[in-house]
Amino acid sequence: MHWYVSEGTAAVLGLLPVRLDAAPTTAYLMTGEHCARDCAFCAQARSSRGRAHRLSRVIWPPFPAGEVLPRLGDACRAGRIRRACFQVVHSGDYLHRVRQAVAEVRREVDIPLCVSIGLRTVEQVRELLEAGVDVVGLPLDAATPQLYREVKGSSWERHLRLLQEAAARFPGRVGTHLIIGLGESEEEAIRLIGELAACGIGVALFAFTPLPGTRLEHHRPPDLRTYRRVQAAHYLLKRGLVRPDGMKFKDGRLVDWGISREELVLYLADGEAFRTTGCPDCNRPYYNERPGKTPYNYPRPLNPREAAEAVGLVVEG
């Protein structure tokens, strides 16, 4: 049995000699290949002509699981890795494959473990939680039913209903992904985030990244100002610092937060709103970014200059 290991994770585990500007604090692992699904943004999609062993900008070289596991255990015990996350490619008996992978990790080390996977029933969510998974991520990705049909080819409403039912049954143990920049408006993204937050569903924000060989390879990534406003809204909504019904939009763009400018700057001043979101200790370095460029999601605390620039884009943008 082999697993695909993100390049940054492989460096932290000592599997690859890669120099890191920012080290991942979660071990990112992937099982399966040649996905049966055909998401327009994904390098693993059925129709993708892109490079194999890639998710977003990240390369995932394969390694024998027996080689990965002891190094993962060592890295966890040393505090370099604080969580493991499996990305599960929808191919073959993928549920059996991920349960087996979870059991292997659990035998080696006791750390928080999450799984990002496409499922159909709440019962399947229960099976994974009982197998030893702490958080099950059910990626929604698209903010509207129309976009979901266009980029994923199935029912947004059914997936949202599954998310809501699973979150109600397993509070605090269900999350999702939302990709900003697929064609949604700020209003559509923010109102969805508010709805998910009200259900107790954790939201990991991603910036759309065009990848060669995918159906959306020529689609542009999101404007940084737009992404910063969505990040800020997510942060404030999750903490109850703003209310969805207090926010106002014009032509789909957020124009009124329902709080004063002074309050907005105060809440955002430390820069936490602009860090990677998802499970605790998930920082995903350079998943959507290139080294040397201003990141969409900071994988570490922001310095005062970075925080001031990010807040400036929110309040002045």
Side-chain angles (χ1 to χ4, degrees):
M1 179 175 62
H2 67 267
W3 296 337
Y4 297 95
V5 181
S6 78
E7 194 172 48
T9 301
V12 171
L13 299 186
L15 293 165
L16 286 177
V18 178
R19 183 177 178 178
L20 300 175
D21 293 332
T25 46
T26 287
Y28 300 104
L29 310 168
M30 181 168 65
T31 69
E33 56 190 342
H34 307 305
C35 190
R37 296 182 174 180
D38 200 25
C39 298
F41 52 81
C42 185
Q44 294 294 323
R46 186 175 66 247
S47 66
S48 173
R49 297 172 286 101
R51 294 176 62 183
H53 311 153
R54 179 188 284 273
L55 278 181
S56 195
R57 291 194 63 256
V58 179
I59 300 296
W60 301 64
F63 294 93
E67 186 177 355
V68 175
L69 281 164
R71 292 171 180 265
L72 175 62
D74 290 344
C76 292
R77 287 183 283 270
R80 298 193 304 275
I81 291 293
R82 299 193 287 273
R83 175 179 292 271
C85 179
F86 277 102
Q87 309 297 307
V88 182
V89 176
H90 191 100
S91 61
D93 191 353
Y94 66 102
L95 279 172
H96 171 75
R97 189 174 66 241
V98 72
R99 285 195 298 265
Q100 185 180 13
V102 168
E104 293 285 346
V105 171
R106 283 284 175 242
R107 278 193 287 269
E108 179 65 34
V109 63
D110 183 20
I111 59 167
L113 179 60
C114 51
V115 167
S116 176
I117 189 170
L119 298 176
R120 291 185 174 276
T121 68
V122 174
E123 182 63 19
Q124 290 175 327
V125 175
R126 181 192 64 79
E127 289 176 7
L128 287 181
L129 294 175
E130 291 184 352
V133 175
D134 293 281
V135 176
V136 174
L138 304 172
L140 189 59
D141 295 322
T144 72
Q146 179 180 345
L147 281 174
Y148 193 93
R149 285 191 296 272
E150 291 174 359
V151 302
K152 303 194 71 168
S154 55
S155 171
W156 185 89
E157 293 86 353
R158 184 178 64 213
H159 194 106
L160 180 60
R161 186 165 57 249
L162 173 61
L163 266 170
Q164 293 168 330
E165 291 174 357
R169 185 166 172 185
F170 308 109
R173 303 188 69 184
V174 175
T176 193
H177 298 168
L178 185 61
I179 300 174
I180 304 302
L182 291 175
E184 74 292 326
S185 67
E186 291 177 24
E187 180 174 9
E188 289 166 334
I190 291 169
R191 293 205 182 280
L192 175 61
I193 290 168
E195 182 178 352
L196 295 170
C199 296
I201 299 169
V203 179
L205 292 178
F206 292 78
F208 169 73
T209 302
L211 298 176
T214 62
R215 286 191 284 133
L216 289 179
E217 64 180 322
H218 300 300
H219 189 79
R220 296 185 64 179
D223 176 75
L224 187 58
R225 290 179 175 81
T226 292
Y227 197 78
R228 291 286 183 253
R229 285 192 290 271
V230 174
Q231 282 180 308
H234 172 254
Y235 179 84
L236 298 173
L237 286 166
K238 184 177 179 180
R239 287 158 180 78
L241 298 171
V242 297
R243 301 191 321 275
D245 59 359
M247 305 171 85
K248 296 180 181 178
F249 301 85
K250 182 177 180 180
D251 298 325
R253 182 181 180 276
L254 179 59
V255 295
D256 187 339
W257 295 81
I259 57 175
S260 69
R261 176 191 173 100
E262 291 74 21
E263 288 176 303
L264 180 61
V265 171
L266 177 65
Y267 292 150
L268 301 178
D270 62 3
E272 285 297 303
F274 312 109
R275 295 183 64 182
T276 301
T277 54
C279 295
D281 298 313
C282 177
N283 64 339
R284 300 192 303 272
Y286 305 114
Y287 197 84
N288 299 133
E289 296 86 11
R290 295 182 183 275
K293 301 290 186 180
T294 300
Y296 286 103
N297 302 297
Y298 281 89
R300 51 164 176 78
L302 282 69
N303 64 41
R305 177 187 58 79
E306 292 167 337
E309 288 177 353
V311 173
L313 290 179
V314 173
V315 299
E316 305 293 349

